[in-house]
Amino acid sequence: MTQAASEARGDLGLECGHGRFFVGSRGQVWADVALMVTAVLVEAFLHRALRHHSPATAAVALLVFAVGLIGWLFVRQLLRGERAWMFYTAALLFGSLSERGDTLVEAGAAPTWVATVTVLAALPAVVGIVGAVRIVQTLDEMWRQINYRALAFAFIGTLTLVLGQWLLARFGVEILTWRSLLLLMVVFWGAGMLWEYRRLK
Amino acid sequence: MTNRIRLLRAERGWSQADLAARLGVSRQTVNAIETGRYDPSLPLAFQIAAIFGTAIEQIFDPGNIGPGSRPS
């Protein structure tokens, strides 16, 4: 896909030096935005349902979110096979939904609700993992090498942080949660990619 | 490792994007190979040679590689 053809089609991308990181077609980006808005609305409804102990409202909110998630997956996968942006969105969704799961547990919600949110959180997690693997598989050899090195950087960085956390925990200091470690790993991956790309540019 | 890709490409009036499309790689990869910052794999090097219709050693110069020495 040439940049001119991509621009003519109205695809969205980020200019970075001599390169252009593909974000998605306008349809895909609109699907992302729609899903984010749905997620915010669902969160508001879920909080309200928990406050008023209204399982019906919570059920509707979760149903709306499930439909939105399936619609988003459909649009993202079928329009074209670009998965980088999808990976980050999936990671964000996983973080958001697992947070909702914690909220439900703390609020003493019925196990059915906790299980529903857990399953919903698992869906973007699986999509994110599969997306990440397929991103690397579809790249050319230089970009694949950049990604492998970035992933190695991410693993080493996260491992170092886990060890640091373990040492601090012995003194009663808890800084990182397991969720923030996942987020940091994604950030390390991105930072590693930028570093390797700059080196080869 | 140095190479003559830029020269061969210019002779044919191809842009980096044109060559990248023929090779099935990104333009950034072609740029990195041309400037010597990235050494292509053997299959890609053969593909480049085939596209230019010449032998690999006519395109790539490994420099001082002898027994026991490591390529740059």
Side-chain angles (χ1 to χ4, degrees):
Chain A
M1 177 174 61
T2 64
Q3 183 173 334
S6 172
E7 281 169 355
R9 244 197 334 268
D11 294 344
L12 302 180
L14 302 172
E15 296 293 340
C16 182
H18 299 292
R20 189 167 185 272
F21 290 107
F22 183 77
V23 173
S25 67
R26 286 193 190 280
Q28 287 174 320
V29 175
W30 274 116
D32 290 344
V33 172
L35 186 70
M36 289 300 166
V37 172
T38 312
V40 170
L41 290 175
V42 166
E43 176 159 352
F45 272 107
L46 207 56
H47 270 286
R48 193 176 158 175
L50 287 171
R51 254 203 327 269
H52 298 291
H53 300 286
S54 166
T57 313
V60 169
L62 288 173
L63 192 67
V64 166
F65 189 75
V67 170
L69 193 63
I70 290 164
W72 171 70
L73 287 171
F74 182 78
V75 172
R76 264 286 169 189
Q77 283 285 19
L78 293 191
L79 279 184
R80 234 185 0 262
E82 298 290 345
R83 294 174 182 87
W85 193 247
M86 186 170 157
F87 169 75
Y88 285 103
T89 317
L92 197 68
L93 273 173
F94 169 71
S96 165
L97 280 167
S98 57
E99 186 80 39
R100 295 295 74 71
D102 289 356
T103 311
L104 285 171
V105 170
E106 285 164 16
T112 321
W113 296 117
V114 179
T116 308
V117 174
T118 306
V119 169
L120 278 175
L123 193 58
V126 171
V127 169
I129 291 165
V130 172
V133 171
R134 295 188 73 172
I135 286 168
V136 176
Q137 280 176 343
T138 53
L139 295 172
D140 68 30
E141 60 176 54
M142 185 186 82
W143 281 103
R144 207 176 301 151
Q145 191 184 92
I146 286 174
N147 268 277
Y148 285 150
R149 286 182 180 171
L151 279 171
F153 175 69
F155 274 110
I156 291 166
T158 311
L159 187 66
T160 309
L161 279 174
V162 168
L163 285 172
Q165 167 79 359
W166 176 72
L167 284 171
L168 285 173
R170 294 175 79 90
F171 298 101
V173 182
E174 291 277 350
I175 298 170
L176 301 167
T177 61
W178 64 270
R179 201 179 293 113
S180 61
L181 279 174
L182 282 175
L183 184 68
L184 279 168
M185 198 168 188
V186 174
V187 171
F188 274 133
W189 184 13
M193 270 183 68
L194 282 175
W195 173 264
E196 282 293 320
Y197 178 62
R198 285 184 67 85
R199 200 178 63 83
L200 288 170
K201 199 171 75 177
Chain B
M1 189 161 68
T2 58
N3 62 74
R4 296 172 55 237
I5 293 176
R6 192 183 292 269
L7 184 71
L8 292 165
R9 187 170 57 74
E11 280 174 4
R12 286 157 180 78
W14 295 346
S15 66
Q16 285 186 343
D18 292 334
L19 180 58
R22 285 164 198 268
L23 291 168
V25 297
S26 64
R27 193 193 56 77
Q28 292 97 327
T29 300
V30 169
N31 182 264
I33 294 170
E34 272 190 11
T35 51
R37 291 190 179 91
Y38 174 71
D39 293 334
S41 67
L42 204 50
L44 183 58
F46 271 111
Q47 204 184 338
I48 292 168
I51 279 173
F52 287 121
T54 184
I56 272 191
E57 60 269 29
Q58 297 296 317
I59 300 176
F60 295 99
D61 178 12
N64 293 326
I65 295 183
S69 66
R70 292 181 63 185
S72 58

